Amino acid sequence: MKHIKKYIRYTPPLIIILVQLAFYCSCPEIGVLGDDSSSYIDYAFTLQGIGGTRVPLYPLVLRICRILFGESRYLFFTACVQILISALSVFILYKTLRLATDNLLLSDIIAVLYGCNSCIMNWNIAIWSESLSISVTVFFLYAIVKYVKSPSFKNGTAAILLSLIAAGVKPTLAVYSGLCLVLLVLQFFTEKSLRRMIGKLSAVLGAVILIYAGYSYNNWVWSGTFNLTNLGPRHSLVPCLLTGCYLNYPDEELTSEITRVFNDCLAAGDDGRGWATTTPVMELFGANLREQNINVSEFTSYCLRTDPMAYLRYQYGNISTYWSKPYSRIIFPDILQYAPNPLFKILLFMQRDLPVFTVGSGFYMMALCLFLTLYQWIRTKRCPYFYLGVWGAITVIEASVFLGSYNAFARLSVYILPFLYFGCALILEDIIRCIQRQALREAASHTAA
Protein backbone atom coordinates (compact mmCIF):
# COMPACT_ATOMS: atom_id res chain seq x y z
CA MET A 1 0.00 0.00 0.00
CA LYS A 2 2.85 2.38 0.83
CA HIS A 3 4.45 1.70 -2.56
CA ILE A 4 1.16 2.46 -4.31
CA LYS A 5 0.83 5.77 -2.49
CA LYS A 6 4.43 6.64 -3.38
CA TYR A 7 3.80 5.94 -7.07
CA ILE A 8 0.62 8.01 -6.96
CA ARG A 9 2.56 10.93 -5.50
CA TYR A 10 5.10 10.68 -8.32
CA THR A 11 2.40 10.62 -11.02
CA PRO A 12 1.59 14.39 -11.28
CA PRO A 13 5.22 15.55 -11.75
CA LEU A 14 5.84 12.65 -14.14
CA ILE A 15 2.87 13.69 -16.28
CA ILE A 16 4.12 17.29 -16.37
CA ILE A 17 7.67 16.25 -17.28
CA LEU A 18 6.53 13.92 -20.09
CA VAL A 19 4.13 16.47 -21.59
CA GLN A 20 6.68 19.29 -21.47
CA LEU A 21 9.41 17.10 -22.95
CA ALA A 22 7.07 16.04 -25.75
CA PHE A 23 6.25 19.68 -26.48
CA TYR A 24 9.75 21.13 -26.40
CA CYS A 25 11.39 18.23 -28.22
CA SER A 26 8.80 18.55 -30.99
CA CYS A 27 9.23 22.29 -31.48
CA PRO A 28 10.81 23.05 -34.86
CA GLU A 29 12.56 26.04 -33.30
CA ILE A 30 13.60 27.10 -29.79
CA GLY A 31 14.26 30.81 -29.38
CA VAL A 32 11.62 32.15 -31.77
CA LEU A 33 11.85 35.86 -32.61
CA GLY A 34 8.80 38.11 -32.61
CA ASP A 35 7.94 41.64 -33.64
CA ASP A 36 9.19 43.16 -30.37
CA SER A 37 12.19 40.89 -29.81
CA SER A 38 14.66 43.41 -31.25
CA SER A 39 13.72 45.97 -28.58
CA TYR A 40 14.99 43.53 -25.93
CA ILE A 41 18.01 42.32 -27.91
CA ASP A 42 19.23 45.82 -28.81
CA TYR A 43 18.49 47.34 -25.40
CA ALA A 44 20.97 50.09 -24.48
CA PHE A 45 22.27 49.85 -20.92
CA THR A 46 22.79 53.61 -20.57
CA LEU A 47 20.88 56.29 -18.66
CA GLN A 48 19.18 57.31 -21.87
CA GLY A 49 18.53 53.69 -22.88
CA ILE A 50 17.09 52.80 -19.47
CA GLY A 51 14.55 55.57 -19.94
CA GLY A 52 13.14 53.81 -22.99
CA THR A 53 10.43 51.41 -24.05
CA ARG A 54 11.72 48.44 -22.00
CA VAL A 55 12.82 47.77 -18.44
CA PRO A 56 16.25 46.16 -17.98
CA LEU A 57 15.93 42.67 -16.46
CA TYR A 58 14.86 40.69 -19.51
CA PRO A 59 17.42 42.44 -21.75
CA LEU A 60 19.99 41.64 -19.04
CA VAL A 61 19.15 37.93 -19.29
CA LEU A 62 19.66 38.12 -23.04
CA ARG A 63 22.95 39.98 -22.62
CA ILE A 64 24.29 37.40 -20.12
CA CYS A 65 23.31 34.50 -22.39
CA ARG A 66 24.98 36.24 -25.33
CA ILE A 67 28.21 36.59 -23.33
CA LEU A 68 28.12 33.01 -22.05
CA PHE A 69 26.98 31.13 -25.16
CA GLY A 70 28.00 33.31 -28.09
CA GLU A 71 26.20 35.18 -30.84
CA SER A 72 25.02 32.14 -32.76
CA ARG A 73 23.48 30.21 -29.86
CA TYR A 74 22.37 32.70 -27.19
CA LEU A 75 18.73 32.91 -28.32
CA PHE A 76 18.38 29.15 -27.99
CA PHE A 77 19.93 29.16 -24.52
CA THR A 78 17.83 32.15 -23.44
CA ALA A 79 14.74 30.11 -24.28
CA CYS A 80 16.23 27.16 -22.36
CA VAL A 81 16.65 29.41 -19.32
CA GLN A 82 13.01 30.44 -19.68
CA ILE A 83 11.95 26.80 -19.90
CA LEU A 84 13.87 25.87 -16.74
CA ILE A 85 12.52 28.84 -14.76
CA SER A 86 9.00 28.03 -15.95
CA ALA A 87 9.44 24.38 -14.88
CA LEU A 88 10.53 25.59 -11.44
CA SER A 89 7.48 27.85 -11.29
CA VAL A 90 5.20 24.80 -11.66
CA PHE A 91 6.69 23.38 -8.45
CA ILE A 92 6.37 26.80 -6.76
CA LEU A 93 2.72 27.04 -7.81
CA TYR A 94 2.12 23.60 -6.31
CA LYS A 95 3.68 24.76 -3.03
CA THR A 96 1.46 27.85 -3.17
CA LEU A 97 -1.66 25.73 -3.61
CA ARG A 98 -0.62 23.49 -0.70
CA LEU A 99 -0.21 26.57 1.49
CA ALA A 100 -3.58 28.03 0.56
CA THR A 101 -5.69 24.86 0.40
CA ASP A 102 -6.04 21.65 2.39
CA ASN A 103 -6.87 19.41 -0.55
CA LEU A 104 -3.86 17.46 -1.80
CA LEU A 105 -5.64 15.96 -4.83
CA LEU A 106 -6.93 19.38 -5.91
CA SER A 107 -3.43 20.86 -5.68
CA ASP A 108 -2.11 18.00 -7.82
CA ILE A 109 -4.78 18.50 -10.49
CA ILE A 110 -4.34 22.28 -10.72
CA ALA A 111 -0.54 21.93 -10.85
CA VAL A 112 -0.80 19.37 -13.67
CA LEU A 113 -3.22 21.56 -15.65
CA TYR A 114 -0.89 24.54 -15.22
CA GLY A 115 2.26 22.60 -16.05
CA CYS A 116 0.69 21.09 -19.18
CA ASN A 117 -0.69 24.39 -20.48
CA SER A 118 0.74 24.66 -23.99
CA CYS A 119 0.01 28.40 -24.00
CA ILE A 120 2.66 28.91 -21.31
CA MET A 121 5.06 26.48 -22.98
CA ASN A 122 4.60 28.37 -26.24
CA TRP A 123 5.72 31.62 -24.62
CA ASN A 124 8.73 29.87 -23.10
CA ILE A 125 10.28 29.20 -26.50
CA ALA A 126 9.85 32.80 -27.71
CA ILE A 127 12.17 35.76 -27.16
CA TRP A 128 9.59 37.85 -25.38
CA SER A 129 9.37 38.94 -21.76
CA GLU A 130 6.03 37.16 -21.33
CA SER A 131 7.64 33.89 -20.26
CA LEU A 132 9.55 35.44 -17.36
CA SER A 133 6.51 37.61 -16.52
CA ILE A 134 4.40 34.49 -15.96
CA SER A 135 7.11 32.74 -13.93
CA VAL A 136 7.95 35.72 -11.72
CA THR A 137 4.22 36.17 -11.09
CA VAL A 138 4.12 32.64 -9.68
CA PHE A 139 7.10 33.42 -7.43
CA PHE A 140 5.42 36.62 -6.21
CA LEU A 141 2.14 34.77 -5.61
CA TYR A 142 3.95 32.17 -3.52
CA ALA A 143 5.72 34.84 -1.47
CA ILE A 144 2.58 36.84 -0.76
CA VAL A 145 0.57 33.70 0.15
CA LYS A 146 3.37 32.55 2.43
CA TYR A 147 3.38 35.96 4.11
CA VAL A 148 -0.39 35.88 4.66
CA LYS A 149 -0.19 32.38 6.13
CA SER A 150 2.90 33.13 8.23
CA PRO A 151 3.33 36.90 8.69
CA SER A 152 6.97 37.76 9.27
CA PHE A 153 9.43 40.44 8.23
CA LYS A 154 11.35 37.90 6.14
CA ASN A 155 8.30 36.68 4.21
CA GLY A 156 6.98 40.19 3.71
CA THR A 157 10.34 41.46 2.47
CA ALA A 158 10.56 38.57 0.01
CA ALA A 159 7.16 39.49 -1.46
CA ILE A 160 8.09 43.17 -1.77
CA LEU A 161 11.45 42.44 -3.41
CA LEU A 162 9.84 40.00 -5.83
CA SER A 163 7.39 42.74 -6.82
CA LEU A 164 10.41 44.92 -7.65
CA ILE A 165 12.00 42.11 -9.69
CA ALA A 166 8.70 41.61 -11.52
CA ALA A 167 8.60 45.31 -12.42
CA GLY A 168 12.13 44.92 -13.79
CA VAL A 169 10.84 42.25 -16.18
CA LYS A 170 7.71 44.10 -17.31
CA PRO A 171 6.80 47.61 -16.13
CA THR A 172 3.09 46.90 -15.62
CA LEU A 173 4.06 44.33 -12.98
CA ALA A 174 4.86 47.25 -10.69
CA VAL A 175 1.20 46.86 -9.70
CA TYR A 176 2.38 43.98 -7.48
CA SER A 177 4.07 46.55 -5.24
CA GLY A 178 0.69 48.27 -5.08
CA LEU A 179 -0.86 44.99 -3.93
CA CYS A 180 1.75 44.79 -1.16
CA LEU A 181 0.85 48.33 -0.10
CA VAL A 182 -2.87 47.54 0.06
CA LEU A 183 -2.19 44.36 2.05
CA LEU A 184 -0.05 46.23 4.59
CA VAL A 185 -2.71 48.91 5.02
CA LEU A 186 -5.40 46.27 5.54
CA GLN A 187 -3.29 44.38 8.06
CA PHE A 188 -2.46 47.58 9.91
CA PHE A 189 -6.15 48.09 10.69
CA THR A 190 -7.23 44.46 11.09
CA GLU A 191 -4.14 42.83 12.69
CA LYS A 192 -3.06 45.10 15.54
CA SER A 193 -0.44 42.63 16.76
CA LEU A 194 1.45 43.00 13.46
CA ARG A 195 1.71 46.78 13.44
CA ARG A 196 5.32 46.92 14.54
CA MET A 197 6.42 44.52 11.81
CA ILE A 198 4.21 46.32 9.29
CA GLY A 199 6.10 49.52 10.07
CA LYS A 200 9.39 47.83 9.13
CA LEU A 201 7.90 46.36 5.96
CA SER A 202 6.55 49.79 5.06
CA ALA A 203 10.12 51.09 5.14
CA VAL A 204 11.18 48.33 2.73
CA LEU A 205 8.26 49.11 0.45
CA GLY A 206 9.08 52.80 0.69
CA ALA A 207 12.60 52.06 -0.55
CA VAL A 208 11.14 50.16 -3.52
CA ILE A 209 8.84 53.09 -4.30
CA LEU A 210 11.85 55.42 -4.20
CA ILE A 211 13.57 53.17 -6.75
CA TYR A 212 10.50 53.46 -8.99
CA ALA A 213 10.50 57.23 -8.51
CA GLY A 214 14.21 57.53 -9.36
CA TYR A 215 13.81 55.36 -12.43
CA SER A 216 10.76 57.37 -13.52
CA TYR A 217 12.59 60.65 -12.98
CA ASN A 218 15.42 59.45 -15.23
CA ASN A 219 12.75 58.62 -17.80
CA TRP A 220 11.34 62.12 -17.44
CA VAL A 221 14.75 63.68 -18.02
CA TRP A 222 15.38 61.74 -21.21
CA SER A 223 11.91 60.98 -22.56
CA GLY A 224 9.50 63.43 -20.95
CA THR A 225 7.38 60.77 -19.22
CA PHE A 226 7.44 60.24 -15.46
CA ASN A 227 6.87 56.51 -15.73
CA LEU A 228 8.79 53.24 -16.00
CA THR A 229 8.62 53.42 -19.82
CA ASN A 230 8.15 56.19 -22.37
CA LEU A 231 5.24 54.51 -24.18
CA GLY A 232 2.38 56.14 -22.27
CA PRO A 233 1.81 59.14 -24.58
CA ARG A 234 1.96 56.92 -27.68
CA HIS A 235 -0.57 54.51 -26.17
CA SER A 236 -2.95 57.30 -25.17
CA LEU A 237 -2.76 58.73 -28.69
CA VAL A 238 -4.40 55.64 -30.20
CA PRO A 239 -7.87 56.08 -28.61
CA CYS A 240 -7.80 59.76 -29.59
CA LEU A 241 -7.24 58.79 -33.22
CA LEU A 242 -9.64 55.85 -33.37
CA THR A 243 -12.50 57.65 -31.59
CA GLY A 244 -11.99 60.93 -33.43
CA CYS A 245 -11.60 62.80 -30.14
CA TYR A 246 -8.55 64.56 -31.54
CA LEU A 247 -10.90 66.61 -33.74
CA ASN A 248 -12.17 68.38 -30.60
CA TYR A 249 -8.78 70.06 -30.11
CA PRO A 250 -9.09 73.83 -30.77
CA ASP A 251 -6.05 74.03 -33.11
CA GLU A 252 -7.72 73.32 -36.48
CA GLU A 253 -4.46 73.43 -38.42
CA LEU A 254 -2.98 70.72 -36.21
CA THR A 255 -6.09 68.51 -36.34
CA SER A 256 -6.23 68.84 -40.13
CA GLU A 257 -2.61 67.71 -40.40
CA ILE A 258 -3.27 64.78 -38.05
CA THR A 259 -6.26 63.78 -40.18
CA ARG A 260 -4.11 63.82 -43.31
CA VAL A 261 -1.38 61.70 -41.71
CA PHE A 262 -3.91 59.32 -40.14
CA ASN A 263 -5.78 58.76 -43.41
CA ASP A 264 -2.53 58.24 -45.33
CA CYS A 265 -1.46 55.57 -42.84
CA LEU A 266 -4.83 53.82 -43.06
CA ALA A 267 -4.59 53.87 -46.85
CA ALA A 268 -1.10 52.32 -46.58
CA GLY A 269 -2.56 49.36 -44.70
CA ASP A 270 -2.05 50.22 -41.01
CA ASP A 271 -4.99 49.78 -38.64
CA GLY A 272 -4.40 53.09 -36.89
CA ARG A 273 -2.94 51.44 -33.79
CA GLY A 274 0.58 50.64 -34.90
CA TRP A 275 3.79 52.63 -34.78
CA ALA A 276 3.43 53.24 -38.52
CA THR A 277 0.57 55.60 -37.62
CA THR A 278 1.48 56.93 -34.18
CA THR A 279 5.10 57.81 -35.07
CA PRO A 280 4.34 60.31 -37.89
CA VAL A 281 1.52 61.80 -35.81
CA MET A 282 3.82 62.25 -32.80
CA GLU A 283 6.41 63.93 -35.01
CA LEU A 284 3.94 66.78 -35.47
CA PHE A 285 4.32 67.60 -31.76
CA GLY A 286 8.04 68.26 -31.44
CA ALA A 287 11.55 67.95 -32.83
CA ASN A 288 12.65 65.20 -30.40
CA LEU A 289 11.12 62.39 -28.36
CA ARG A 290 10.98 64.38 -25.12
CA GLU A 291 9.09 67.27 -26.69
CA GLN A 292 6.78 64.87 -28.48
CA ASN A 293 5.91 62.93 -25.33
CA ILE A 294 5.25 66.03 -23.24
CA ASN A 295 3.10 67.71 -25.90
CA VAL A 296 1.25 64.51 -26.86
CA SER A 297 0.43 63.86 -23.19
CA GLU A 298 -1.16 67.30 -22.88
CA PHE A 299 -2.94 66.87 -26.20
CA THR A 300 -4.45 63.46 -25.44
CA SER A 301 -5.44 64.45 -21.92
CA TYR A 302 -7.46 67.35 -23.31
CA CYS A 303 -9.00 65.37 -26.17
CA LEU A 304 -10.15 62.39 -24.11
CA ARG A 305 -11.80 64.69 -21.56
CA THR A 306 -13.95 66.21 -24.29
CA ASP A 307 -15.80 62.96 -25.04
CA PRO A 308 -15.59 60.40 -22.21
CA MET A 309 -18.41 58.30 -23.67
CA ALA A 310 -16.43 57.77 -26.88
CA TYR A 311 -13.51 56.58 -24.79
CA LEU A 312 -15.77 54.17 -22.88
CA ARG A 313 -17.12 52.79 -26.16
CA TYR A 314 -13.53 52.36 -27.37
CA GLN A 315 -12.62 50.36 -24.25
CA TYR A 316 -15.79 48.28 -24.50
CA GLY A 317 -14.90 47.50 -28.11
CA ASN A 318 -11.41 46.36 -27.09
CA ILE A 319 -12.76 44.09 -24.35
CA SER A 320 -15.47 42.57 -26.57
CA THR A 321 -12.99 42.00 -29.42
CA TYR A 322 -10.52 40.18 -27.18
CA TRP A 323 -13.08 38.48 -24.93
CA SER A 324 -12.78 35.04 -26.54
CA LYS A 325 -9.07 35.20 -27.42
CA PRO A 326 -6.67 32.86 -25.58
CA TYR A 327 -3.73 34.15 -23.55
CA SER A 328 -1.22 33.06 -26.16
CA ARG A 329 0.55 33.82 -29.38
CA ILE A 330 0.28 30.95 -31.82
CA ILE A 331 3.87 30.63 -32.93
CA PHE A 332 3.17 27.63 -35.17
CA PRO A 333 -0.08 28.43 -37.01
CA ASP A 334 -0.02 25.34 -39.22
CA ILE A 335 -0.54 22.55 -36.70
CA LEU A 336 -0.53 19.82 -39.34
CA GLN A 337 2.84 20.92 -40.69
CA TYR A 338 4.52 21.21 -37.27
CA ALA A 339 3.25 18.04 -35.63
CA PRO A 340 5.91 15.35 -35.51
CA ASN A 341 4.06 13.50 -32.75
CA PRO A 342 0.38 13.22 -31.79
CA LEU A 343 0.78 14.75 -28.30
CA PHE A 344 2.34 17.91 -29.71
CA LYS A 345 -0.49 18.13 -32.22
CA ILE A 346 -3.11 17.76 -29.48
CA LEU A 347 -1.47 20.43 -27.28
CA LEU A 348 -1.35 22.97 -30.09
CA PHE A 349 -4.94 22.15 -31.04
CA MET A 350 -6.03 22.77 -27.44
CA GLN A 351 -4.11 26.04 -27.36
CA ARG A 352 -5.67 27.29 -30.59
CA ASP A 353 -9.20 25.87 -30.48
CA LEU A 354 -9.84 24.73 -26.90
CA PRO A 355 -8.00 27.20 -24.66
CA VAL A 356 -8.31 26.62 -20.93
CA PHE A 357 -8.62 30.36 -20.30
CA THR A 358 -9.50 33.31 -22.52
CA VAL A 359 -9.43 37.04 -21.81
CA GLY A 360 -13.06 36.81 -20.74
CA SER A 361 -12.08 34.30 -18.05
CA GLY A 362 -10.20 37.06 -16.26
CA PHE A 363 -13.32 39.20 -16.01
CA TYR A 364 -15.44 36.26 -14.86
CA MET A 365 -12.88 35.44 -12.17
CA MET A 366 -12.74 39.10 -11.16
CA ALA A 367 -16.51 39.26 -10.62
CA LEU A 368 -16.69 35.90 -8.84
CA CYS A 369 -13.82 36.67 -6.45
CA LEU A 370 -15.30 40.07 -5.61
CA PHE A 371 -18.61 38.41 -4.73
CA LEU A 372 -16.91 35.72 -2.63
CA THR A 373 -14.74 38.32 -0.89
CA LEU A 374 -17.75 40.36 0.19
CA TYR A 375 -19.79 37.25 1.10
CA GLN A 376 -17.10 35.66 3.27
CA TRP A 377 -16.04 38.96 4.86
CA ILE A 378 -19.63 39.66 5.91
CA ARG A 379 -20.34 36.08 7.01
CA THR A 380 -17.12 35.43 8.95
CA LYS A 381 -16.24 39.01 9.97
CA ARG A 382 -12.70 38.30 8.81
CA CYS A 383 -10.94 39.48 5.67
CA PRO A 384 -10.65 36.64 3.11
CA TYR A 385 -7.18 37.72 1.98
CA PHE A 386 -6.81 35.12 -0.76
CA TYR A 387 -10.05 35.93 -2.56
CA LEU A 388 -9.42 39.64 -2.07
CA GLY A 389 -5.90 39.23 -3.43
CA VAL A 390 -7.02 37.36 -6.54
CA TRP A 391 -9.71 39.96 -7.21
CA GLY A 392 -7.28 42.84 -6.63
CA ALA A 393 -4.52 41.32 -8.76
CA ILE A 394 -6.77 40.55 -11.72
CA THR A 395 -8.48 43.94 -11.48
CA VAL A 396 -5.25 45.96 -11.52
CA ILE A 397 -3.77 43.80 -14.29
CA GLU A 398 -6.82 44.18 -16.53
CA ALA A 399 -7.08 47.90 -15.77
CA SER A 400 -3.41 48.61 -16.40
CA VAL A 401 -3.40 46.64 -19.67
CA PHE A 402 -6.64 47.91 -21.20
CA LEU A 403 -6.20 51.51 -20.02
CA GLY A 404 -2.46 51.68 -20.64
CA SER A 405 -2.07 49.79 -23.94
CA TYR A 406 -3.56 49.96 -27.40
CA ASN A 407 -3.36 46.43 -28.81
CA ALA A 408 -2.35 42.80 -28.15
CA PHE A 409 -4.27 42.81 -24.86
CA ALA A 410 -4.22 39.01 -24.52
CA ARG A 411 -0.43 38.90 -24.78
CA LEU A 412 0.07 41.87 -22.47
CA SER A 413 -2.12 40.35 -19.74
CA VAL A 414 -0.88 36.75 -20.05
CA TYR A 415 0.72 36.87 -16.59
CA ILE A 416 -2.81 36.81 -15.17
CA LEU A 417 -2.78 33.01 -15.67
CA PRO A 418 -1.26 32.05 -12.26
CA PHE A 419 -3.98 34.07 -10.51
CA LEU A 420 -6.67 32.34 -12.58
CA TYR A 421 -5.39 28.88 -11.63
CA PHE A 422 -5.04 29.93 -8.00
CA GLY A 423 -8.55 31.40 -7.98
CA CYS A 424 -9.96 28.19 -9.46
CA ALA A 425 -8.27 26.18 -6.70
CA LEU A 426 -9.82 28.40 -3.99
CA ILE A 427 -13.30 28.17 -5.51
CA LEU A 428 -13.15 24.42 -6.09
CA GLU A 429 -11.96 23.81 -2.53
CA ASP A 430 -14.89 25.83 -1.16
CA ILE A 431 -17.30 23.85 -3.35
CA ILE A 432 -15.81 20.57 -2.12
CA ARG A 433 -16.08 21.73 1.51
CA CYS A 434 -19.69 22.76 0.96
CA ILE A 435 -20.53 19.34 -0.49
CA GLN A 436 -18.76 17.59 2.39
CA ARG A 437 -20.62 19.67 5.00
CA GLN A 438 -23.92 18.90 3.29
CA ALA A 439 -23.09 15.20 3.26
CA LEU A 440 -22.23 15.30 6.98
CA ARG A 441 -25.49 17.08 7.79
CA GLU A 442 -27.49 14.52 5.85
CA ALA A 443 -25.62 11.68 7.55
CA ALA A 444 -26.27 13.24 10.96
CA SER A 445 -29.97 13.67 10.21
CA HIS A 446 -30.25 10.01 9.10
CA THR A 447 -28.47 8.89 12.27
CA ALA A 448 -30.77 11.01 14.45
CA ALA A 449 -33.81 9.60 12.69
Side-chain angles (χ1 to χ4, degrees), residues 359-371:
V359 171
S361 305
F363 289 91
Y364 287 130
M365 184 64 71
M366 186 194 312
L368 193 54
C369 284
L370 176 59
F371 169 77

Side-chain angles (χ1 to χ4, degrees), residues 151-360:
S152 69
F153 179 76
K154 177 184 175 181
N155 292 340
T157 300
I160 293 170
L161 293 181
L162 277 168
S163 73
L164 176 62
I165 293 171
V169 174
K170 186 172 283 292
T172 49
L173 298 187
V175 297
Y176 295 166
S177 297
L179 294 176
C180 292
L181 176 61
V182 172
L183 177 59
L184 292 180
V185 171
L186 275 173
Q187 286 187 322
F188 182 83
F189 290 104
T190 60
E191 309 283 347
K192 293 183 179 180
S193 60
L194 302 178
R195 285 185 175 179
R196 192 170 186 179
M197 182 193 64
I198 289 171
K200 296 178 181 178
L201 289 175
S202 298
V204 176
L205 183 57
V208 169
I209 293 172
L210 285 176
I211 293 173
Y212 291 152
Y215 191 98
S216 299
Y217 177 74
N218 178 72
N219 213 346
W220 165 257
V221 170
W222 293 103
S223 303
T225 56
F226 192 81
N227 207 321
L228 297 181
T229 73
N230 60 23
L231 293 176
R234 183 183 296 272
H235 290 178
S236 64
L237 182 60
V238 172
C240 288
L241 296 175
L242 296 183
T243 61
C245 289
Y246 74 93
L247 295 171
N248 298 332
Y249 198 71
D251 188 338
E252 293 185 4
E253 183 179 350
L254 175 62
T255 56
S256 297
E257 187 65 16
I258 292 174
T259 299
R260 182 192 65 78
V261 173
F262 183 53
N263 289 335
D264 288 346
C265 293
L266 292 179
D270 193 66
D271 63 356
R273 295 174 181 263
W275 283 46
T277 298
T278 55
T279 296
V281 172
M282 291 186 69
E283 289 173 350
L284 301 174
F285 288 85
N288 56 62
L289 181 61
R290 190 172 193 277
E291 288 182 9
Q292 292 167 12
N293 280 332
I294 292 173
N295 293 330
V296 168
S297 293
E298 296 174 354
F299 173 79
T300 57
S301 178
Y302 174 89
C303 294
L304 292 176
R305 286 200 308 269
T306 62
D307 196 350
M309 291 305 299
Y311 183 66
L312 289 176
R313 288 193 296 271
Y314 162 81
Q315 291 295 351
Y316 174 77
N318 288 333
I319 294 172
S320 60
T321 298
Y322 278 84
W323 188 268
S324 60
K325 292 187 180 296
Y327 288 103
S328 62
R329 171 178 177 264
I330 308 301
I331 295 175
F332 308 120
D334 191 341
I335 292 176
L336 295 177
Q337 179 182 354
Y338 297 111
N341 67 58
L343 180 57
F344 184 76
K345 184 176 179 179
I346 291 170
L347 288 171
L348 288 180
F349 169 76
M350 291 175 63
Q351 177 188 326
R352 188 187 68 176
D353 299 321
L354 298 171
V356 178
F357 292 114
T358 63
V359 171

Side-chain angles (χ1 to χ4, degrees), residues 70-119:
E71 189 70 29
S72 62
R73 295 177 295 176
Y74 79 97
L75 294 179
F76 171 81
F77 282 102
T78 299
C80 289
V81 170
Q82 294 175 175
I83 289 169
L84 291 174
I85 294 175
S86 179
L88 176 61
S89 74
V90 179
F91 172 71
I92 298 299
L93 180 66
Y94 174 78
K95 290 189 66 176
T96 306
L97 296 171
R98 294 293 296 125
L99 279 174
T101 68
D102 297 323
N103 193 310
L104 181 62
L105 178 60
L106 180 61
S107 298
D108 286 340
I109 293 172
I110 297 295
V112 169
L113 292 175
Y114 179 85
C116 297
N117 188 330
S118 58
C119 162

Side-chain angles (χ1 to χ4, degrees), residues 96-146:
T96 306
L97 296 171
R98 294 293 296 125
L99 279 174
T101 68
D102 297 323
N103 193 310
L104 181 62
L105 178 60
L106 180 61
S107 298
D108 286 340
I109 293 172
I110 297 295
V112 169
L113 292 175
Y114 179 85
C116 297
N117 188 330
S118 58
C119 162
I120 298 172
M121 290 186 276
N122 208 335
W123 284 115
N124 291 338
I125 64 172
I127 306 302
W128 299 61
S129 62
E130 274 65 30
S131 172
L132 290 187
S133 298
I134 298 169
S135 297
V136 79
T137 294
V138 175
F139 299 146
F140 170 75
L141 178 61
Y142 170 72
I144 204 74
V145 167
K146 188 175 181 181

